[in-house]
Amino acid sequence: MHGLWNETYDGATVAFIVVGAACVFVMIPGLGFLYSGLARRKSALALIWAVIMATLVGMVQWYFWGFSLAFSHTAPNSKFIGDLDSFGFRNVYGKTSDDAVYPELAYAIFQGMFMCVTLSIIAGATAERGRLFPHMVFLFVFATVVYCPIAYWVWAPGGWCYQWGVLDWAGGGPVEILSAVGGFVYSIFLGRRKESLLINFRPHNVSLVTLGTILLWFGWLLFNSATSLTPSLKSVYAFMNTNLSAATGGMTWCLLDFRLERKWSTVGLCSGIICGLVAATPSSGCITLYGSLIQGIIAGLICNFATKLKYYLKVDDAMDILAEHGIAGVVGLMFNALFGADWVVGLDGSTKHHGGWITHNYKQMYIQFAYVWVVIGYSAACTAVICFVLDLIPFTKLRVSEEAEARGLDEDQIGEFAYDYVEVRRDYWQWGTDTDNSNEIRLERVDGQHDTEQSTTNTEESRNLNGEKQIVSDDQQTANGHDQEQVTTPKDSTHST
C-alpha cells in the first residue's frame, strides 16, 4: 500500500510563504554583520557566531514544542498558551480547515523564522563580555517561557490580545519589544564593560554595518509583506509602508547627527533605517502610507534621543537594542492606534477591524497602550528570573573574566579570529616552532650571521682606512703649520696650532 497525499493547495500562496520564510532567514546573517561591525575587531567573530547559534537554538526549540505552544489549534479555550499536542511537529502537515489554501507546515516554518530573528537580536547583548554557552541556554529557556506565550496572546485565535483587538501586524510585541527588553535586562545582569578597555571606542568596520543593514532591509520587506500569508494587495501595501518608514527614519537620524558633528554619519544612517523598519513591523499592514511617512520621522527622532537612556540608567546596552528595537516597536504599535484604518486592515479581503483614530476607533489607544506595558512587564520579569538562576549555577555564569574581556571574545570563546592581523599582538612562540621548515630557518640564520660578519669586517676595514687618511691629513696640517710660523705672528701661530 502506497501513501499518497491527496490535499491540494494554491501554489502561489505556498510559494509566497516559503520564499517569505527564506527572506526572513537572510535577516539573520544581516544581524551578524551589523553587530560584528559595531563591535571591536577582537570580538567581531564571536558576535557572528552568537547570532547564528541563536538561530540554531531557535530552530530546535521551535521543532520540539515552540510551535505547539505558540500556535496550537487544539487548545481553543486557552487564552495564554497552547498545548503540546503538536510536540515535534506531530500532525503538522496539511490543511487545518477545509477552506485553507496552504499547508500548516509552511505556516509553521514561516513563523519559526520570526522567533529565530528575535533570539538573534537578543544575542547582541553578549557583546564583548558575555559567555556564549550560558547565553544559548538562556535563549532556549527564553523562547519557551517568554516568546511562545506572547506570540500566542496576539496571533493565536484563542489568545486574549487577539480577542481584545490588539493591532500588531508582524511582531511589535513578540519580536521587537520582547528582544529589546530581554537584551536590556540581560545586559543589566552582565554588567558594564570595563571603562579602562573602552578608551576611544568606536565601530571597527562600518562597511559591515552597512552590509548588515542592507541585508536586514531586504529580509524585512518579506518579513512584513509575507505576514499576510497570501499574495494580495495588503502584502504589496505592507511592502510600500515598510520602505517609506525606513526611508524617512534614515533621513531623520542622519540629520540629527549632522547637527552635532557636521558630518553625514553612515552608522547614523543605518541606525535610522533600522528604527524605521522596526516601527513598520507592527504597523505596515495597518496604517496608511502617509502615516508611515510620519512614523519614520517620529521613530528616527525619538529613538535617536532614546540612545541616551542607557547612560541615564547606567546599563551597557552595547548594540542599542532598547532604543532601536524596543522604543521603535512601541512607536509602531502606538501609530496603529493613531493611523490604523479599517480599510487598510481589510485589504486582504478577510480581516475585519475597526482600525484606529482616523477611522474613529478611539478606544484603540488604550488597548495598544495596555498591550505594550503588559509585554514589557512580563518579558522583563521572566528574563530577570532566568538570568538570576543561570548566574547561580557555576558552569552557566553569564560573564567572562576581566582578563578574557581584555583579550577579546574571539580568543577566549571562539579560538579563531575575524582578522589575521589581530594576532600580530600575540606571542607567536607560544604556538610552538615550525619543525617542517626548521632546516630552512637554520640556513637563513647562518646566512644572516655570515652577512653580518662580512658587514662587520667591511666596516672595520673602512674605519682603518679612514683612520690612516686622517693621520696623513693631520701630518700635512702640522707641516703646513711649521712653514707658516716664519710668516705669522705669535698670536696667529698660537691660533693655528
Side-chain angles (χ1 to χ4, degrees):
M1 181 177 179
H2 299 284
L4 297 177
W5 197 259
N6 296 320
E7 288 184 353
T8 58
Y9 314 100
D10 180 66
T13 301
V14 175
F16 184 64
I17 296 174
V18 173
V19 171
C23 289
V24 173
F25 179 82
V26 172
M27 297 173 67
I28 293 164
L31 275 168
F33 290 139
L34 173 70
Y35 287 163
S36 178
L38 288 172
R40 287 173 291 183
R41 61 174 57 92
K42 64 181 180 180
S43 297
L45 190 61
L47 280 167
I48 295 177
W49 188 97
V51 167
I52 295 175
M53 184 56 71
T55 302
L56 306 188
V57 170
M59 288 178 175
V60 172
Q61 192 272 354
W62 195 248
Y63 169 76
F64 278 149
W65 53 65
F67 175 72
S68 187
L69 293 175
F71 292 98
S72 175
H73 58 272
T74 58
N77 296 323
S78 175
K79 296 184 182 298
F80 300 99
I81 196 169
D83 57 23
L84 294 175
D85 184 71
S86 299
F87 180 90
F89 273 32
R90 176 179 172 270
N91 295 327
V92 180
Y93 301 114
K95 295 180 178 180
T96 56
S97 62
D98 293 336
D99 59 345
V101 294
Y102 56 84
E104 186 182 16
L105 184 58
Y107 179 71
I109 293 171
F110 180 68
Q111 288 293 344
M113 289 296 102
F114 277 51
M115 189 183 73
C116 290
V117 169
T118 303
L119 301 185
S120 297
I121 295 172
I122 300 173
T126 63
E128 302 189 345
R129 82 272 198 207
R131 294 180 63 214
L132 297 180
F133 172 73
H135 188 67
M136 297 306 121
V137 176
F138 163 81
L139 290 177
F140 190 90
V141 178
F142 181 92
T144 302
V145 177
V146 184
Y147 182 88
C148 289
I150 294 181
Y152 184 88
W153 295 354
V154 71
W155 286 329
W160 68 271
C161 294
Y162 184 95
Q163 294 181 354
W164 198 25
V166 170
L167 284 175
D168 189 351
W169 173 242
V175 178
E176 306 301 350
I177 294 178
L178 217 60
S179 61
V181 174
F184 195 76
V185 174
Y186 195 88
S187 297
I188 294 174
F189 277 84
L190 275 182
R192 297 169 60 85
R193 287 168 290 179
K194 299 301 179 183
E195 296 291 342
S196 59
L197 302 177
L198 287 174
I199 299 174
N200 294 326
F201 173 79
R202 64 191 62 186
H204 91 276
N205 192 326
V206 179
S207 296
L208 275 183
V209 174
T210 308
L211 174 63
T213 302
I214 296 303
L215 289 176
L216 281 170
W217 195 343
F218 173 79
W220 228 306
L221 293 173
L222 269 294
F223 186 97
N224 289 345
S225 59
T227 297
S228 65
L229 301 177
T230 56
S232 61
L233 177 58
K234 189 171 184 177
S235 60
V236 178
Y237 203 88
F239 192 102
M240 188 60 191
N241 267 337
T242 303
N243 275 336
L244 285 175
S245 185
T248 53
M251 291 177 180
T252 301
W253 192 300
C254 215
L255 286 171
L256 289 172
D257 281 0
F258 182 82
R259 87 187 198 282
L260 298 175
E261 303 291 338
R262 297 301 173 185
K263 303 288 184 182
W264 300 109
S265 169
T266 305
V267 174
L269 175 64
C270 293
S271 298
I273 290 172
I274 291 172
C275 289
L277 292 169
V278 170
T281 300
S283 66
S284 57
C286 304
I287 68 175
T288 60
L289 293 177
Y290 68 85
S292 288
L293 200 72
I294 301 170
Q295 175 184 257
I297 297 172
I298 299 301
L301 181 67
I302 294 177
C303 295
N304 183 282
F305 288 102
T307 57
K308 307 299 182 185
L309 286 175
K310 64 182 181 181
Y311 300 110
Y312 297 138
L313 299 175
K314 297 182 179 180
V315 177
D316 191 0
D317 183 10
M319 299 293 125
D320 282 324
I321 298 175
L322 180 65
E324 295 186 21
H325 290 273
I327 303 301
V330 172
V331 170
L333 286 168
M334 299 314 296
F335 260 70
N336 282 343
L338 294 172
F339 292 94
D342 54 1
W343 61 270
V344 175
V345 178
L347 285 176
D348 57 358
S350 60
T351 306
K352 295 181 180 180
H353 194 282
H354 295 298
W357 280 19
I358 64 171
T359 51
H360 310 294
N361 182 27
Y362 302 109
K363 69 177 183 180
Q364 195 64 35
M365 178 62 73
Y366 73 77
I367 292 176
Q368 298 295 114
F369 186 80
Y371 170 67
V372 165
W373 282 105
V374 169
V375 172
I376 291 174
Y378 180 80
S379 56
C382 291
T383 303
V385 172
I386 298 170
C387 290
F388 179 78
V389 173
L390 286 177
D391 212 29
L392 292 177
I393 303 173
F395 60 87
T396 58
K397 292 289 185 182
L398 302 181
R399 182 171 179 141
V400 300
S401 65
E402 184 175 354
E403 179 185 357
E405 182 184 344
R407 292 198 310 268
L409 294 192
D410 285 3
E411 179 177 348
D412 182 72
Q413 296 286 296
I414 303 295
E416 298 165 339
F417 308 95
Y419 305 95
D420 289 339
Y421 61 83
V422 174
E423 302 178 30
V424 171
R425 298 185 297 111
R426 309 178 195 281
D427 189 355
Y428 288 105
W429 299 110
Q430 290 183 356
W431 305 340
T433 57
D434 186 3
T435 56
D436 295 335
N437 301 317
S438 57
N439 292 332
E440 297 178 4
I441 295 173
R442 189 178 296 108
L443 289 174
E444 289 177 359
R445 289 180 178 177
V446 171
D447 291 341
Q449 290 176 358
H450 176 73
D451 292 341
T452 302
E453 291 175 358
Q454 184 66 34
S455 175
T456 303
T457 303
N458 293 338
T459 302
E460 291 178 353
E461 292 177 355
S462 176
R463 287 177 179 175
N464 293 336
L465 181 60
N466 291 336
E468 293 175 358
K469 291 180 177 179
Q470 183 67 33
I471 292 172
V472 173
S473 176
D474 291 343
D475 292 342
Q476 291 176 350
Q477 290 179 2
T478 302
N480 292 335
H482 287 298
D483 294 338
Q484 291 176 359
E485 286 179 357
Q486 299 176 0
V487 295
T488 58
T489 63
K491 182 177 180 180
D492 293 334
S493 177
T494 302
H495 180 72
S496 176
T497 303

